[in-house]
């Protein structure tokens, strides 16, 4: 069986990630990545520790917007610059977020 080829990496990351944390929602906003190779989307990871393991090319991350266990990850398409669908978070717990741009999907996914 032939292995899938990893796609071209996005040129840049999204920028200006901001977080609004209220007792009724957590909203993230960012500015789309620019450059010669635009991303297909973004994976945004969340946790309560601030320690993140960078995603690995070829390993697609499953979306999980439920923060009951203190961790989560969601995918959004390029062109979308806001997200507020996190569920089961605890207020006033501090959550940390990190955004990665990516191209392709499945075993061909390539993260910046």
């Amino acid at each position: 069986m032939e292995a899938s080829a990893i796609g071209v990496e996005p040129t840049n990351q999204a920028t200006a990630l901001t977080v609004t944390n209220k007792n009724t929602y957590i909203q993230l906003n960012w500015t789309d990545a620019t450059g010669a190779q635009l991303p297909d989307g973004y994976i945004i990871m969340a946790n309560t520790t601030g320690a993140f393991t960078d995603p690995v090319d070829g390993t697609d991350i499953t979306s999980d917007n439920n923060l009951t266990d203190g961790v989560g990850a969601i995918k959004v398409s390029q062109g979308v610059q806001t997200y507020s669908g996190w569920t089961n978070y605890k207020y006033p717990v501090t959550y940390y977020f990190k955004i990665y741009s990516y191209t392709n999907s499945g075993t061909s996914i390539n993260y910046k």
Side-chain angles (χ1 to χ4, degrees), residues 10 14 17 27-33 38-45 60-65 73-86 98-105 109 111:
L17 178 65
Q27 182 171 321
L28 307 176
N29 295 290
W30 60 91
T31 301
D32 270 333
L38 293 176
D40 293 323
Y42 305 100
I43 183 92
I44 302 172
M45 297 179 165
D60 208 352
I61 295 173
T62 303
S63 288
D64 171 18
N65 69 334
I74 57 99
K75 290 180 183 178
V76 294
S77 298
Q78 194 272 346
V80 174
Q81 297 182 70
T82 188
Y83 182 79
S84 59
W86 300 104
K98 192 163 184 180
I99 188 168
Y100 299 87
S101 57
Y102 67 87
T103 54
N104 306 301
S105 62
I109 198 162
Y111 301 98

